[in-house]
Amino acid sequence: MAPASTRLDMLDEAIAVIRELWKDENTNFEGEFYVVENARVDSMPEEPPPIYVAAAAENAAELAGRAGDGLISVAPNRDILERFDRAGGEGKPRYGQLHVCWAQDEADAVKTAHEVWPNSAIKGELGQELPLPRHFEQAAEMVSEDDIAQAVPCGPDPERHLEAIREYVDAGFDHVYVHQIGEDQEGFFRFFERDVLPKL
């Protein structure tokens, strides 16, 4: 697997290629990573879709600010947003992704999150640097239910969910995408509609 810095350079160049293709004309491009010859997108929408760049580190946040139309991140990290702003991201959308597991019982929610989404508690940069799915499976074996309970708001307490959302808002995110771990999506939606959203 290429190092993170190379993957970031590849993403930067890919965004440039996409934007060239969206000019609605024949495109030729020869970069360090990609070559495009006489390509044209014939089914362009009236308005090209925005390109949001995911960032967990400051160099990716800089790319998001400079080349993207918005930022996506999975932690309420103010430093990421400041780097995003300094690179040209000020005024652009900032999406934070929050993993939660609602259930009627907190212990059941922790168990579900541990079984379905243990990657949410893999520590440090490990979760961004593993090249193969089996490596994620191996790292997830080191995650305990206690780790999940620390990393993921679990259970029916609306304050726990609200506190996690407020961390993103306080950091400067203007959108928070809440990802319910597990199968009980309807229960999650009812809970958020009744007990969480009215308090935001």
Side-chain angles (χ1 to χ4, degrees):
M1 181 166 83
S5 60
T6 302
R7 296 193 311 267
L8 207 56
D9 290 342
M10 293 172 74
L11 178 58
D12 191 6
E13 189 171 300
I15 292 170
V17 170
I18 291 167
R19 295 204 189 279
E20 283 297 315
L21 287 167
W22 284 348
K23 290 181 177 176
D24 200 22
E25 55 191 40
N26 276 0
T27 300
N28 292 295
F29 184 96
E30 187 166 342
E32 183 179 349
F33 304 103
Y34 307 106
V35 174
V36 176
E37 294 181 11
N38 289 321
R40 181 185 176 108
V41 178
D42 289 322
S43 56
M44 282 296 301
E46 285 185 30
E47 185 74 29
I51 298 174
Y52 293 174
V53 176
E58 290 187 14
N59 54 352
E62 184 175 330
L63 173 62
R66 179 176 44 77
D69 299 314
L71 172 127
I72 302 169
S73 195
V74 294
N77 185 331
R78 187 180 305 269
D79 294 338
I80 295 292
L81 294 179
E82 288 173 1
R83 185 75 172 263
F84 174 68
D85 283 347
R86 285 195 308 268
E90 194 167 349
K92 295 178 183 178
R94 309 131 185 276
Y95 284 82
Q97 182 184 28
L98 171 64
H99 303 294
V100 304
C101 188
W102 174 86
Q104 296 277 358
D105 178 77
E106 184 175 349
D108 289 342
V110 170
K111 183 175 177 167
T112 297
H114 185 253
E115 290 174 0
V116 176
W117 209 267
N119 292 359
S120 61
I122 293 175
K123 297 190 182 351
E125 295 179 21
L126 190 59
Q128 286 93 45
E129 293 300 321
L130 298 173
L132 299 172
R134 73 172 181 266
H135 297 146
F136 282 95
E137 291 170 3
Q138 292 163 2
E141 289 175 9
M142 297 183 281
V143 172
S144 70
E145 287 190 7
D146 287 341
D147 295 329
I148 289 292
Q150 292 286 322
V152 177
C154 290
D157 180 1
E159 286 307 315
R160 179 104 195 268
H161 296 264
L162 285 162
E163 179 183 336
I165 292 168
R166 287 183 185 121
E167 286 180 27
Y168 280 90
V169 173
D170 292 346
F173 287 86
D174 48 32
H175 298 80
V176 180
Y177 156 60
V178 181
H179 164 229
Q180 161 68 1
I181 300 168
E183 295 181 6
D184 193 356
Q185 300 295 314
E186 287 301 319
F188 160 76
F189 282 119
R190 284 192 302 272
F191 166 69
F192 256 69
E193 182 178 37
R194 181 187 64 239
D195 299 328
V196 177
L197 294 179
K199 297 178 181 176
L200 291 173

